[in-house]
Amino acid sequence: IYSDAILSNTLRRNCHDNYFLACVSIMVSSYILTAAYLKHHFNEPTKRAVFYPFYHGRTLFRHVKRNVLAIWQGCNLPEEPAEEKRHTHAVMFMEAISESMLQLSLSCLLIREFGLSSNGYEKFNQLSGLCSSLMSMVVLFAKVRHTIYNK
């Protein structure tokens, strides 16, 4: 989200209003699609679906905390509860499909149209946004493929 916000701000500052609106629309539509998916597919309460970034962040933080404590104590990493794992994967997959794919396409279009920025900070954000969107897609589809073929 950070790289997307920086990209949209850069587009706004450089007077590329249509691309700015496209970038913001991608972020907003991703949020709405993911919240609607959680509400209707997982039958989550409206409050939990609307505030899913906070609940998702808390779940990820708990997972990291459990793993760090296990490493600190020299134990094996704990298994993530099946329902938590399913929910986390669903949120990440919906975000990747609805946001990363479109942001990757937009980043490629912008680099093709205007090239890389001459400003080092903006160039870094262009490339990191491109790479993070690409990695998000690759990792999520690899997880789906792994799940399908290892049943």
Side-chain angles (χ1 to χ4, degrees), residues 35-135:
Y37 178 76
L38 290 173
K39 171 80 174 126
H40 297 291
H41 184 72
F42 282 98
N43 296 321
E44 298 228 357
T46 304
K47 178 183 173 190
R48 187 171 168 93
V50 168
F51 292 110
Y52 85 87
F54 300 107
Y55 291 104
H56 181 61
R58 186 179 68 192
T59 301
L60 292 176
F61 180 74
R62 272 192 306 223
H63 181 65
V64 169
K65 181 181 169 186
R66 282 192 302 256
N67 288 344
V68 166
L69 288 174
I71 291 169
W72 188 279
Q73 296 168 352
C75 303
N76 291 333
L77 294 179
E79 274 296 315
E80 190 176 4
E83 184 61 31
E84 189 175 297
K85 185 185 285 188
R86 185 172 161 258
H87 187 273
T88 300
H89 176 74
V91 169
M92 290 170 50
F93 189 77
M94 278 304 294
E95 285 180 339
I97 293 300
S98 63
E99 183 178 5
S100 295
M101 189 180 298
L102 296 173
Q103 287 290 5
L104 179 64
S105 301
L106 181 63
S107 293
C108 289
L109 174 72
L110 290 170
I111 290 173
R112 192 192 81 199
E113 285 287 319
F114 305 109
L116 291 173
S117 176
S118 57
N119 181 331
Y121 179 71
E122 289 177 359
K123 184 186 294 186
F124 174 77
N125 284 322
Q126 280 178 309
L127 293 174
S128 68
L130 181 73
C131 291
S132 67
S133 293
L134 183 61
M135 289 303 295

Side-chain angles (χ1 to χ4, degrees), residues 2-52:
Y2 175 77
S3 62
D4 298 338
I6 295 295
L7 175 64
S8 64
N9 189 37
T10 301
L11 292 171
R12 186 187 52 77
R13 279 189 293 116
N14 291 331
C15 300
H16 301 298
D17 294 330
N18 291 335
Y19 293 123
F20 166 72
L21 290 174
C23 190
V24 170
S25 297
I26 289 169
M27 289 189 289
V28 170
S29 67
S30 172
Y31 173 77
I32 292 170
L33 286 172
T34 305
Y37 178 76
L38 290 173
K39 171 80 174 126
H40 297 291
H41 184 72
F42 282 98
N43 296 321
E44 298 228 357
T46 304
K47 178 183 173 190
R48 187 171 168 93
V50 168
F51 292 110
Y52 85 87

